[in-house]
């Protein structure tokens, strides 16, 4: 290579993805982002994400998988695991003995879950007690409008779907101290400024007419009974989540970014799902998309990525072809599609500039995650990184190599290790996010689109 060519190559890789986007692709990028925004608004909880994903899949000819079903190349099936985890597959031209091309993203996001006995009245105000789910910065969840979403299962087994605070409906809120009385609170660390037991949702203030005690609570309970038909005792068998009420919106005068609750990790989940839908040809190898629950609290449980439900699904697919599961897994590839931190100049001190993902520089590829010396990381091999570089480049998916932040600044994990532990070659990649885990996170539109392109490349193999 001539010196000039070297220099041009370096300069090109240092350019924003906006400079590397063929102009004719821009309308597709914008259309894709509009569809993603609609998915986000429809999917504010893991259950809602599964519901919406199933709806979109069925619209496109996907069928629910039933054990023992005969499958042929091109067949599209999905497996809904308890309404909280979804696995989809397009059967490839080659047998499963040749492995599958898998993407795994998660659809649970940090939020405030209700405690089993949440309702109480104090000083004639009615509250719901919460137990936060995932790594939230507690101070960010006060003084913003919140919705309550989820299900209540009554003793007779009836499931009631609850959505409180949609559109023009009243919202819930967690209050904070006024600055005039904040002198002592101001001395606390950010972590302690708002305590877990202070994350109490204000749900009513108007007393029931007549005599008696706890009249505000009684009035709230009556409203819940009238609207949803459940009683206070039914909170015991409920899964209700307080999530931000704000709808998704474009950010910046140029509209180049998207602000919303739950980009982590629905931005990768939608990319993985949509790329599977948009496959134009039957893929060589079977393409599998997993949308998992419980990543934010360690991927445990029946709907988390460690669940045997995934192994069962893969084993069922293998059985339908008489293929050995262990051969299939050792020849499979998995892209653990999860968000990474975007370099934020406002907090530049926690990032190592040369190894941080930047907004608008494409999908962030992470060889490893983890904390304190890669602890808990799956650490993909050099061979695997080489394979993915080639895959993304050939598909025109702009990508960048990234770590989460400075070595000693902290860290994080993904589902990658749980896939790798199954003897599947796995690597992390995902959209860089600003304010990750906040009630309102920001991503770059072009990174969303490049992640979608990257997912398509994974399925095509
Ligand atoms: Mn995540
Ligand atoms: Mn997360």
């Amino acid at each position: 290579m001539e010196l000039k060519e070297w220099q041009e190559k370096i300069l090109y890789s240092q350019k924003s993805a906006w400079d590397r986007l063929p102009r004719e692709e821009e309308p597709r990028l914008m259309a894709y982002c509009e569809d993603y925004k609609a998915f986000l608004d429809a999917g504010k909880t893991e259950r809602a994400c599964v519901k919406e994903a199933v709806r979109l899949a069925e619209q496109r000819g996907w069928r629910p998988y039933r054990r023992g079903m005969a499958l042929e190349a091109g067949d599209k099936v999905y497996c809904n695991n308890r309404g909280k985890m979804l696995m989809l597959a397009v059967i490839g031209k080659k047998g499963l003995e040749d492995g599958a091309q898998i993407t795994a993203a998660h659809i649970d996001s940090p939020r405030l879950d209700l405690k089993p006995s949440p309702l109480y009245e104090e000083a004639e105000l009615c509250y719901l007690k919460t137990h936060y789910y995932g790594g939230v910065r507690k101070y960010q969840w006060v003084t913003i409008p919140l919705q309550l979403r989820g299900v209540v299962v009554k003793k007779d087994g009836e499931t009631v779907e609850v959505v409180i605070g949609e559109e023009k409906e009243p919202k819930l809120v967690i209050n904070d101290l006024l600055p005039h009385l904040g002198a002592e609170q101001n001395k606390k660390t950010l972590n302690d400024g708002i305590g877990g037991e202070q994350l109490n949702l204000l749900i009513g203030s108007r007393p029931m007419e007549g005599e008696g005690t706890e009249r505000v609570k009684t009035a709230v309970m009556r409203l819940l009974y009238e609207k949803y038909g459940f009683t206070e005792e039914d909170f015991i068998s409920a899964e209700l989540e307080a999530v931000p009420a704000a709808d998704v919106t474009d950010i910046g005068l140029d509209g180049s970014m998207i602000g919303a609750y739950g980009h982590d990790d629905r931005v990768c989940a939608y990319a993985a799902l949509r790329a599977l839908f948009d496959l134009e040809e039957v893929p060589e190898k079977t393409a599998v998309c997993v949308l998992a629950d419980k990543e934010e609290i360690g991927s445990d449980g029946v709907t988390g990525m460690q669940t045997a439900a995934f192994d069962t699904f893969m084993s069922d697919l293998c059985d339908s072809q008489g293929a050995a599961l262990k051969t299939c897994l050792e020849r499979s590839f998995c892209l653990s599609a999860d968000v990474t931190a975007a370099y934020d100049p406002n907090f530049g001190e926690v990032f190592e500039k040369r190894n941080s993902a930047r907004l608008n520089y494409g999908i962030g590829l992470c060889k490893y995650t983890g904390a304190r010396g890669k602890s808990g990381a799956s650490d993909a091999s050099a061979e695997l990184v080489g394979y993915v570089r080639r895959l993304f480049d050939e598909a025109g998916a702009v990508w960048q190599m990234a770590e989460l932040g400075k070595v000693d600044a902290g860290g994080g994990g993904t589902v990658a290790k749980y896939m790798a532990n199954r003897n599947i070659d796995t690597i992390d990649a995902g959209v860089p996010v600003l304010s990750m885990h906040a009630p309102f996170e920001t991503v770059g539109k072009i990174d969303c689109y490049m992640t979608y392109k990257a997912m398509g490349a994974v399925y095509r193999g």
Side-chain angles (χ1 to χ4, degrees), residues 156-173:
D156 62 7
E158 187 201 342
T159 301
V160 184
E161 271 200 49
V162 175
V163 180
I164 297 172
E166 187 64 302
E167 313 240 315
K168 294 283 174 210
E169 276 181 357
K171 315 285 186 281
L172 308 184
V173 72

Side-chain angles (χ1 to χ4, degrees), residues 295-309:
E295 192 279 338
E296 295 295 356
I297 56 169
S299 297
D300 291 297
V302 278
T303 53
M305 201 60 251
Q306 297 189 69
T307 178

Side-chain angles (χ1 to χ4, degrees), residues 106 108 264-265 295-296 337-339 413-414 436-437:
H106 68 93
D108 61 317
D264 178 8
D265 181 37
E295 192 279 338
E296 295 295 356
D338 205 347
V339 299
T414 66
M436 194 199 292
H437 281 207

Side-chain angles (χ1 to χ4, degrees), residues 176-189 192-194 198:
D176 196 3
L177 200 51
L178 62 167
H180 318 66
L181 296 176
E184 285 306 309
Q185 189 194 36
N186 284 345
K187 291 179 196 159
K188 292 184 180 174
T189 60
D192 296 332
I194 298 290
Q198 285 174 318

